[in-house]
Amino acid sequence: MSTILTITNLTKKYGLLTAVNNLSFTIKKGNVYGILGPNGSGKSTTLGIALNVVNKTSGDFKWFDGNVTTHDALKKVGAIIERPNFYPYMTAYKNLELVCKIKGIDTSKILEKLELVDLIDRKDSKFQTFSLGMKQRLAIASALLNDPEILILDEPTNGLDPQGIHKIRALIQLIASNGTTILLASHLLDEVEKVCTHVVVLRKGEKLYSGRVDEMISSHGFFELKTEDSQKLVSFLEAHPLISKTVKKDDMVTAFLKEPISASEFNKQLVNSGIFLSHLVMRKESLEEQFLKLTDNTSA
Ligand code: ADP
Ligand code: MG
C-alpha cells in the first residue's frame, strides 16, 4: 500500500508552549484517518504544518515517496482548513469556475463534483443563500476539482445542525469509497468512530494512540462475578485462556477478557468446574469511557 504522508518526530513550539510534541504517524493510501483530540491538542497545527501554512520547529514530514517537493505534492492534496469562503454574490458554479482559473485546472469536473456533493440543483444559486452545511459541501467540491489523492478536513462538521452533520459524514464516506484517502481532524469521538478506519489520538500535542479504530474499540469487556468460594473462582480465572487479568476487591471478582465469550457460555464452564455464582454481570467500557481515560490529564 503506498504512503501518502509520513510525519516523523514533528514538534511545534509557540514560545514556551509546545503545541505538537515529537509526533510521528503515517498516512497510507485508501484509508480514512482521524486526528482525534480535545480542543487545543494540536490537530490544526499538525495539519497546518503538513500543508505548509505553519512552520515546524523540528522534525520532519514528507509527502508521497518523498521525491517531490512539498509545493508539487500539495497540488495532489485537497484541503479545507478554514471556514469555506467564496464570493457571496456569485453562484456556486461561478465560484468553482473561479477556483479552477486561480488553480490553473480545467473546468470539466465542476458539474461532476457539484453532483457528488448534492448541490447540482443549486448550482445557479448565489453562495450567500447557502446554509452552512451547503457552504461546507461546496468547499469539499472545490477541494476535489483536481481529483486529489487525499482530502484533508479540519473539524468538517463544526457548527452544523444534525442533518448537516449527517450529510457531511455520508459524503466523506462516499468520497472515501471512490478511493480518495481522507485525513480529518475532529474533537468528536463518535465522528471518528463513525467515519474513520484509522485514528491518531492526541493530547496536548502528544500521541496517545494510533492504529485502527476498530482495534481501539475492541476491548472485549469484563465480567463481574461473586461466589462463596472466591479463592476457587480466582484460581479458575487465572488458568482460563480467555481471561487476561483478574482483580479481587472485597467479595467482587472482576475478570477482563482477552477474547469474546458469552456470559452463558462462561457460566456453563464455571458450573462444570463446580463454581456456582451468586452474581454475574458482563460489562464493557464504552468507547467514550476509553477515550476519556485515554485523554484524561491524570492518567497515562
Ligand atoms: P486543536 O486544533 O487540536 O484545537 P491547535 O493546533 O489549534 O489545536 O492548537 C494547539 C495549541 O497551540 C493550543 O494550545 C493553541 O492555543 C496553540 N496555538 C495554536 N496556534 C497558535 C498561534 N498561532 N500562536 C500561539 N499559540 C497557538
Ligand atoms: Mg483545530
Side-chain angles (χ1 to χ4, degrees):
M1 204 188 271
S2 61
T3 301
I4 304 263
L5 174 65
T6 312
I7 288 184
T8 315
N9 304 122
L10 194 68
T11 294
K12 172 66 187 181
K13 293 186 179 170
Y14 292 108
L16 291 176
L17 180 110
T18 304
V20 176
N21 194 357
N22 199 30
L23 179 65
S24 303
F25 64 88
T26 307
I27 303 287
K28 301 255 180 202
K29 188 176 167 64
N31 296 317
V32 181
Y33 289 83
I35 301 182
L36 174 65
N39 287 332
S41 56
K43 304 181 297 293
S44 299
T45 302
T46 303
L47 297 183
I49 292 169
L51 294 168
N52 250 4
V53 295
V54 174
N55 291 322
K56 64 185 175 144
T57 302
S58 62
D60 234 323
F61 64 94
K62 80 176 193 227
W63 284 100
F64 305 106
D65 57 9
N67 293 329
V68 281
T69 63
T70 301
H71 179 81
D72 281 335
L74 290 178
K75 290 177 186 159
K76 293 194 279 177
V77 175
I80 307 165
I81 52 170
E82 278 164 2
R83 280 241 153 160
N85 219 348
F86 293 94
Y87 285 94
Y89 298 108
M90 273 166 54
T91 66
Y93 187 91
K94 286 280 177 196
N95 266 295
L96 293 190
E97 215 173 38
L98 187 61
V99 170
C100 288
K101 219 171 268 173
I102 292 166
K103 290 191 181 167
I105 48 186
D106 72 273
T107 54
S108 62
K109 297 271 169 70
I110 294 178
L111 291 177
E112 174 197 319
K113 301 307 175 190
L114 284 169
E115 178 90 53
L116 176 74
V117 302
D118 197 23
L119 284 176
I120 196 77
D121 296 339
R122 296 295 302 271
K123 73 181 171 59
D124 297 319
S125 302
K126 288 178 181 166
F127 178 71
Q128 63 179 4
T129 68
F130 281 11
S131 69
L132 188 58
M134 292 163 79
K135 288 176 176 173
Q136 182 68 307
R137 275 161 30 228
L138 186 66
I140 291 175
S142 166
L144 293 175
L145 284 168
N146 58 340
D147 287 325
E149 290 273 343
I150 180 170
L151 177 63
I152 296 181
L153 305 161
D154 195 358
E155 309 269 6
T157 61
N158 260 12
L160 303 187
D161 60 16
Q163 243 184 333
I165 290 173
H166 178 76
K167 230 172 155 153
I168 293 287
R169 289 179 183 167
L171 176 59
I172 291 169
Q173 285 170 316
L174 176 65
I175 294 164
S177 72
N178 291 339
T180 307
T181 306
I182 295 190
L183 172 59
L184 65 87
S186 178
H187 68 284
L188 301 170
L189 175 67
D190 76 313
E191 179 151 289
V192 168
E193 192 186 357
K194 285 191 176 110
V195 176
C196 301
T197 56
H198 291 69
V199 65
V200 176
V201 182
L202 293 186
R203 187 194 71 207
K204 294 185 171 175
E206 283 187 45
K207 184 171 81 176
L208 297 179
Y209 172 88
S210 70
R212 294 190 56 90
V213 171
D214 52 10
E215 281 169 13
M216 179 168 92
I217 62 184
S218 76
S219 157
H220 296 296
F222 52 91
F223 287 119
E224 289 175 352
L225 310 162
K226 281 186 197 174
T227 185
E228 272 177 15
D229 188 351
S230 323
Q231 201 40 56
K232 189 171 175 186
L233 174 63
V234 168
S235 304
F236 172 87
L237 295 170
E238 284 175 348
H240 197 289
L242 299 186
I243 302 296
S244 59
K245 194 172 74 166
T246 306
V247 178
K248 185 172 176 296
K249 191 163 184 271
D250 303 326
D251 60 344
M252 176 80 84
V253 177
T254 307
F256 293 87
L257 285 167
K258 264 195 279 215
E259 283 171 50
I261 180 173
S262 71
S264 60
E265 170 59 29
F266 193 64
N267 194 26
K268 206 190 292 171
Q269 293 181 6
L270 286 159
V271 169
N272 288 340
S273 305
I275 299 166
F276 300 93
L277 299 172
S278 58
H279 173 98
L280 166 64
V281 175
M282 188 174 190
R283 282 201 54 202
K284 202 177 149 138
E285 258 177 357
S286 70
L287 183 56
E288 192 167 17
E289 284 172 306
Q290 293 178 49
F291 174 61
L292 290 174
K293 207 190 258 177
L294 206 56
T295 54
D296 180 5
N297 291 336
T298 56
S299 69

